[in-house]
Amino acid sequence: QSVLTQPPSVSAAPGQKVTISCSGSSSNIGKNYVSWYQQLPGTAPKLLIYENNKRPSGIPDRFSGSKSGTSATLGITGLQTGDEADYFCGTWDSSLSAGPVFGGGTKLTVL
Amino acid sequence: EVQLVQSGAEVKKAGESLKISCKASGYSFSTSWIGWVRQMPGRGLEWMAIVYPADSDTRYSPSFQGQVTISVDKAINTAYLQWSSLQASDTAIYYCIRWSQCAYWGQGALVTVSS
C-alpha cells in the first residue's frame, strides 16, 4: 500500500491527451513539492517534473504538472507510442517517519 | 551533472550479508539527502532509508527499520546499504537516490537472493 495513491492504469490513443492523478495528505503533498518520474521497461526512473510544475532540461513541453491541496496531476499531450511507461509521483512526507514517498505507479498504454 | 553510480548486480544465498554502494558526483554530497529505494519485480517504489551526510541525520521507513543499515563515507562521497542476513524476499532492484526537492536516481542494482 503506497502512501500516495495513483490509478493503476490509463490509456489513450496516439496524439491524444491523458492525465494521471496522485492523491496524498496534509503531511506530504499538502506541505511539499511534488515530482513525477517516467520508468521505461528495464530502466531506472527518470525525472519528468519537479517542484510541482517545472521540467528539467530536455523534457518536452508535452509533459506538465500541477498541484492543488493534497493532490497533484501529470498531463501528457500529443501522446506517442514511446510514452508507454510507468509513471510515479513523489514528494517528501513530513510526518514522524519523515522521508520521500512515492505513488504506486500508473501504467500508461498508448493504444 | 549529478551522477549516482551504483555497484553491480549481486547473487547471494539466504542468510548471507551484503553491502551495496552508491558513489555520488556533480553536487555537494554533504548538503543533500541520499538514500535507497526498493523496487520488487513488477511493483512500485518503496523508500527504505535516507541520510543527510552533513549532520548524519538518518531516517528509516518503518517497513525497513531494523532490516537494513544505511551509512555514508563523506571522504569518498559514497553511500551504502547493508544487510546482515538476507532473505529470499529481499530479491529486488535497489535504487540509490539523491533527494533535493525531488529524486535523482542511480542506475539500480539487482539483488537476487536464493533460498
Side-chain angles (χ1 to χ4, degrees):
Chain A
Q1 188 97 2
S2 300
V3 173
L4 306 179
T5 301
Q6 297 180 235
S9 64
V10 295
S11 62
Q16 296 296 106
K17 173 183 175 176
V18 71
T19 59
I20 298 172
S21 61
C22 174
S23 177
S25 70
S26 58
S27 69
N28 44 64
I29 292 179
K31 275 187 180 174
N32 298 295
Y33 287 123
V34 175
S35 47
W36 289 91
Y37 308 90
Q38 177 193 60
Q39 187 175 35
L40 296 167
T43 68
K46 170 186 168 183
L47 179 64
L48 276 183
I49 298 288
Y50 67 101
E51 292 183 7
N52 302 334
N53 56 18
K54 296 178 182 175
R55 285 176 285 106
S57 171
I59 301 300
D61 59 7
R62 300 189 298 107
F63 295 90
S64 64
S66 64
K67 171 184 147 177
S68 178
T70 59
S71 294
T73 302
L74 173 71
I76 312 173
T77 59
L79 277 172
Q80 302 173 2
T81 54
D83 296 331
E84 276 208 354
D86 292 319
Y87 292 83
F88 296 90
C89 56
T91 188
W92 187 267
D93 193 297
S94 302
S95 62
L96 210 55
S97 44
V101 290
F102 300 97
T106 299
K107 169 69 179 172
L108 169 63
T109 301
V110 181
L111 302 165
Chain B
E1 178 197 3
V2 173
Q3 281 202 313
L4 300 168
V5 179
Q6 300 183 224
S7 48
E10 301 274 1
V11 179
K12 307 292 275 187
K13 289 187 167 62
E16 292 184 332
S17 63
L18 176 63
K19 191 173 188 177
I20 59 176
S21 67
C22 169
K23 183 164 176 62
S25 61
Y27 71 97
S28 173
F29 182 74
S30 289
T31 54
S32 285
W33 293 91
I34 188 162
W36 295 92
V37 172
R38 183 177 80 173
Q39 187 170 40
M40 299 180 80
R43 305 288 294 275
L45 304 169
E46 302 173 272
W47 160 60
M48 302 175 71
I50 201 160
V51 59
Y52 193 74
D55 61 6
S56 299
D57 186 357
T58 301
R59 318 278 178 88
Y60 289 94
S61 165
S63 301
F64 295 95
Q65 179 82 48
Q67 309 304 308
V68 295
T69 302
I70 188 172
S71 60
V72 295
D73 185 335
K74 289 190 287 185
I76 55 171
N77 290 356
T78 299
Y80 302 94
L81 185 68
Q82 185 173 354
W83 292 260
S84 59
S85 179
L86 287 160
Q87 303 174 25
S89 57
D90 292 318
T91 294
I93 297 174
Y94 293 87
Y95 292 102
C96 170
I97 63 166
R98 171 208 179 200
W99 186 271
S100 179
Q101 307 291 9
C102 62
Y104 299 85
W105 302 79
Q107 83 274 23
L110 174 62
V111 173
T112 304
V113 184
S114 62
S115 52

